[in-house]
Amino acid sequence: MSVVVTGVRSRTHLVYVASYLRTLPPDTQLRYLEGGSFLSATVSRDDVTKALPLDVEFIDSTTDLAPKGPVTYVAVGAPGLRPLAALRRSDPRSRITTVVVDEGLGTYGDWRTRRAAYLRQGGSQLRSTLRAAAIATGNRTLTTVRWPLYRKADDWAVFEPVAAEFRRALGPIEVGSFAPGRAILLTQPWVDLGLVDADSYAAHIAALAAQQQAAGRQFLVRPHPAEAPDATPATPPCPSTYRPNWTQRWSPRIC
């Protein structure tokens, strides 16, 4: 059995992909297309080999992507047209099963919310609209299997195989490590997107922290996956010194 993976742009994406790969036979041949990023997020080969449960063959071009015969194509967020075209050219008669895993909470909007995200990232009205519409059409017409975290048809129930992979990635968590009354801020990479300056954003976080602490709540910051942790200081930053890139990937920071 052959599997091709493309579209990974953060380590969080690897968790979604791993949850699907874990259902496959251990001798599955896996090719992973490198490249692609989102803001500060980076994915190294070491990240990939640690996260994925199969042996990985790394490739850096769609020309090396396609094996002969039936193949399962695993895409993040939406099927990629270039990888699909490369797979089809390699073996026009082969069967291609396209599996789409989540890219994050953005998966659960529609083409309008995706267009709004592209506009926030600096895209033009025309390009953002065309891109969002193309992805929505591709998801609807090219996807064989949706592998989501939440199942809309089941009243947004959590899909256990994906949830289990996140628990595996997080490792053991002490139930008593968080106070019963706590507030968790899920951040967005506004500074990296150029929508606000770092000082203003830090002041905003500080104000939120002060409000929550005054109310007797434990205040935690959970970064967006695109906010890289490579500048993490030795001690967790409290709001007066908070910067988006100063937070760990998996564990919320306690202030």
Side-chain angles (χ1 to χ4, degrees):
M1 181 178 184
S2 296
V3 175
V4 168
V5 172
T6 74
V8 173
R9 296 176 182 271
S10 76
R11 281 175 280 182
T12 302
H13 290 166
L14 287 173
V15 181
Y16 289 109
V17 172
S19 69
Y20 176 76
L21 297 182
R22 209 169 288 279
T23 68
L24 305 180
D27 60 348
T28 298
Q29 295 180 331
L30 174 61
R31 291 184 176 182
Y32 178 95
L33 180 62
E34 296 184 277
S37 62
F38 178 59
L39 300 178
S40 298
T42 59
V43 180
S44 68
R45 287 191 173 189
D46 189 49
D47 293 329
V48 175
T49 55
K50 286 181 178 179
L52 301 187
L54 301 173
D55 292 335
V56 182
E57 177 186 351
F58 292 95
I59 53 178
D60 58 11
S61 170
T62 55
T63 58
D64 303 321
L65 188 65
K68 295 291 185 180
V71 62
T72 296
Y73 169 41
V74 180
V76 177
L81 296 182
R82 289 182 181 177
L84 274 175
L87 291 172
R88 184 55 66 201
R89 284 195 304 269
S90 173
D91 192 345
R93 296 184 179 182
S94 67
R95 177 173 54 86
I96 302 174
T97 300
T98 303
V99 179
V100 175
V101 304
D102 283 353
E103 63 180 347
L105 291 178
T107 302
Y108 299 97
D110 58 17
W111 73 272
R112 296 177 184 83
T113 54
R114 190 178 291 275
R115 180 185 61 179
Y118 293 148
L119 290 171
R120 287 196 301 271
Q121 294 167 24
S124 67
Q125 283 281 353
L126 178 60
R127 179 177 174 80
S128 298
T129 300
L130 292 176
R131 186 180 177 190
I135 289 176
T137 301
N139 266 331
R140 187 172 59 253
T141 60
L142 300 175
T143 301
T144 309
V145 177
R146 271 285 286 124
W147 192 260
L149 176 57
Y150 302 101
R151 290 191 175 275
K152 184 177 181 179
D154 296 330
D155 197 23
W156 298 104
V158 173
F159 186 39
E160 180 55 30
V162 181
E165 194 66 34
F166 271 95
R167 289 194 292 269
R168 187 178 289 108
L170 285 165
I173 298 175
E174 292 292 334
V175 176
S177 61
F178 299 121
R182 61 185 184 272
I184 302 176
L185 175 65
L186 308 180
T187 66
Q188 291 288 319
W190 302 130
V191 175
D192 288 328
L193 288 170
L195 299 177
V196 65
D197 64 84
D199 289 338
S200 297
Y201 194 42
H204 173 66
I205 302 297
L208 290 176
Q211 291 171 1
Q212 296 305 313
Q213 290 168 348
R217 299 188 185 96
Q218 183 186 42
F219 182 71
L220 303 96
V221 176
R222 174 65 172 88
H224 187 277
E227 295 176 311
D230 53 355
T232 304
T235 57
C238 279
S240 61
T241 58
Y242 175 81
R243 291 295 183 275
N245 286 352
W246 289 0
T247 45
Q248 289 285 7
R249 177 69 56 217
W250 297 114
S251 302
R253 285 296 195 180
I254 302 173
C255 294

